[in-house]
Amino acid sequence: MKVGITCYPVAGGSGIVATELGQQLALRGHQVHFISYALPFRLDKYQENLYFHGVETTAYPLFKHPPYTLTLAAKMADIACQFELEILHVHYAIPHATSAFLARQLVTGCPLPRIITTLHGTDITLVGSDPSFYDITRFSINASDGITAVSAYLADETCETFKIEKKIKVIHNFIDVERFKPKTEGMCKRRSFAKDDEFVITHTSNFRPVKRTMDVIDVFDKLSNKLPARLLLIGEGPETILARRQVNKRHLNGKVTFLGNQTRIEAILPVSDVFLLPSEEESFGLAALEALACGVPVIGTVDTGLVEVVEHETNGFLFRTGDTTSMAEAGISLLSDKDRLEKFKVNASRLANERFNANKIVTEYEEYYKEILNG
Ligand code: GMT
């Protein structure tokens, strides 16, 4: 098949999923064209069947905000015609599904590509429900030939919020189990972060308020009062500075390491004992899946899409958002029981492998592409 993929190229779950999907499809012999304003951040090496087309949006004094959505649409139409793309697969309804809709109006004299939109969460639960985006988001979703969501939780939320009547296909996020595994070649040494008797707790995010980084620090504070432990904070974002202040205020400086953005997270995760993701919104929680695949039990929130990734009391624990006391208690009890911790670690990588391995999920995308093309 010939597929165009558009995503946000910056660090973030949706960009990672889109990029890895493109790479896996290219490995299977499909021709994949990425169309975006920058090279997706994990698309860092040459691969056969993979192409990148940059979208340039000229800054002009009249435009306060250069109209990327329009230049993207024009580029999508151009590439669709040049390469006879069968599918434009866009990640995020806003603005990518809108651009794809426009692109299709521009295509003349060549086959019209089908539009598939994958919903990742933030556009629906936060941006999409902003009244000024509501109608255009709903329109763009409805105008797609196929719609997928990364969890049933998100599919339900989308249908309810936007009163979508079309069927939304749930295709979960996936993981390259060869890359994310309990023991990886070139993996960090546990001793770089902690002493032999200390547990390693990890959190990865873009430090947006929705991730509740202050809860991460609170859980860690409670836990490290009872057990020797270190906290690794990976990623950067608007609340990094608040997190640093909070760590200072709680006198946790000697126990917390800020690692910033990391490209080879799979080299760090396997040294962890527990991963914290206490987000108030999480349509899926790719960061949690990466931890699980590396054999790290996850403590997260029950009122999110994490319920489809983490099995409470099997490979982690889920509590109500903000219940940092239960999260800390669960962590302390798990870390204090060596056999149970070992079982959770084994369950974590086994379940991630069985349910979310790239081979299985990429096949689901391939099947869905065929269904839309034949429909
Ligand atoms: O979580 C973020 O802030 C980034 C965001 C994104 O757009 O990349 O992640 C969303 O998509 C990921 C990939 O499908 C999901 O794993 C995340 O759960 C989802 N984030 C939220 O729902 C907050």
Side-chain angles (χ1 to χ4, degrees):
M1 277 178 268
K2 293 181 179 179
V3 184
I5 294 184
T6 293
C7 62
Y8 282 114
V10 289
S14 60
I16 295 174
V17 171
T19 306
E20 292 185 355
L21 174 63
Q23 289 169 325
Q24 295 280 342
L25 289 170
L27 276 178
R28 292 178 181 207
H30 302 294
Q31 198 184 98
V32 180
H33 296 261
F34 279 90
I35 310 167
S36 186
Y37 64 85
L39 195 68
F41 83 108
R42 281 204 188 165
L43 200 69
D44 50 2
K45 50 183 185 297
Y46 170 78
Q47 193 183 325
E48 206 180 338
N49 296 328
L50 258 191
Y51 304 86
F52 170 70
H53 310 276
V55 179
E56 306 229 332
T57 310
T58 317
Y60 180 68
L62 196 63
F63 301 144
K64 186 168 171 213
H65 305 291
Y68 172 65
T69 307
L70 303 184
T71 45
L72 173 62
K75 191 65 155 192
M76 281 173 163
D78 175 22
I79 301 302
C81 267
Q82 250 189 74
F83 296 94
E84 303 202 331
L85 298 185
E86 296 158 87
I87 287 170
L88 278 174
H89 186 175
V90 296
H91 294 257
Y92 261 108
I94 293 289
H96 300 148
T98 320
S99 298
F101 169 80
L102 257 179
R104 211 167 40 183
Q105 314 304 306
L106 294 172
V107 168
T108 45
C110 54
L112 285 184
R114 298 294 174 121
I115 299 171
I116 295 180
T117 300
T118 290
L119 306 169
H120 286 273
T122 309
D123 46 357
I124 302 309
T125 52
L126 299 175
V127 186
S129 47
D130 174 328
S132 62
F133 283 115
Y134 184 88
D135 288 339
I136 189 81
T137 307
R138 183 167 190 274
F139 172 84
S140 309
I141 295 172
N142 275 326
S144 307
D145 300 299
I147 314 158
T148 78
V150 297
S151 61
Y153 163 84
L154 180 63
D156 291 347
E157 191 104 336
T158 307
C159 287
E160 204 179 299
T161 309
F162 294 101
K163 315 279 175 269
I164 303 290
E165 273 154 27
K166 271 191 180 172
K167 188 167 166 24
I168 300 181
K169 170 91 178 163
V170 176
I171 303 186
H172 285 124
N173 286 333
F174 58 90
I175 193 88
D176 179 349
V177 292
E178 285 311 308
R179 222 171 110 194
F180 289 83
K181 48 189 177 186
K183 286 209 166 53
T184 306
E185 220 177 287
M187 167 181 145
C188 292
K189 295 205 167 38
R190 196 184 162 92
R191 278 204 193 132
S192 332
F193 304 114
K195 296 191 197 116
D196 287 348
D197 65 338
E198 287 174 325
F199 293 106
V200 178
I201 315 297
T202 310
H203 165 76
T204 313
S205 77
N206 49 15
F207 288 67
R208 290 197 294 130
V210 77
K211 302 291 175 179
R212 292 184 74 104
T213 320
M214 298 313 127
D215 283 4
V216 172
I217 295 166
D218 192 35
V219 172
F220 177 73
D221 194 3
K222 288 176 171 136
L223 185 149
S224 64
N225 262 329
K226 302 275 187 220
L227 294 172
R230 295 278 176 145
L231 175 64
L232 305 183
L233 291 173
I234 305 172
E236 265 170 38
E239 291 206 335
T240 308
I241 189 128
L242 287 181
R244 284 188 188 275
R245 267 194 224 137
Q246 189 68 358
V247 165
N248 252 323
K249 205 167 133 198
R250 302 265 186 127
H251 308 291
L252 292 170
N253 276 316
K255 295 181 179 177
V256 180
T257 309
F258 285 83
L259 289 169
N261 282 332
Q262 295 286 331
T263 44
R264 287 199 62 243
I265 189 140
E266 68 272 25
I268 306 171
L269 284 172
V271 303
S272 310
D273 296 297
V274 164
F275 185 84
L276 299 176
L277 196 62
S279 317
E280 68 186 58
E281 272 299 347
E282 205 64 74
S283 64
F284 179 89
L286 186 64
L289 176 57
E290 291 182 339
L292 292 171
C294 291
V296 187
V298 171
I299 299 180
T301 36
V302 75
D303 19 30
T304 66
L306 278 172
V307 289
E308 289 166 55
V309 185
V310 178
E311 213 169 275
H312 186 65
E313 297 202 338
T314 299
N315 58 2
F317 302 94
L318 298 173
F319 299 101
R320 294 260 167 242
T321 305
D323 186 359
T324 54
T325 302
S326 301
M327 292 179 193
E329 280 169 2
I332 293 164
S333 126
L334 181 66
L335 295 171
S336 308
D337 182 341
K338 219 175 143 213
D339 291 344
R340 193 164 180 234
L341 177 61
E342 204 40 52
K343 240 185 233 158
F344 269 53
K345 288 188 174 194
V346 171
N347 290 340
S349 58
R350 182 177 51 80
L351 289 177
N353 257 275
E354 280 171 13
R355 296 182 188 165
F356 304 109
N357 74 72
N359 270 339
K360 172 177 178 284
I361 307 282
V362 173
T363 303
E364 289 180 25
Y365 272 111
E366 263 182 330
E367 294 301 321
Y368 190 61
Y369 285 177
K370 284 184 207 153
E371 187 185 317
I372 295 300
L373 286 173
N374 296 330

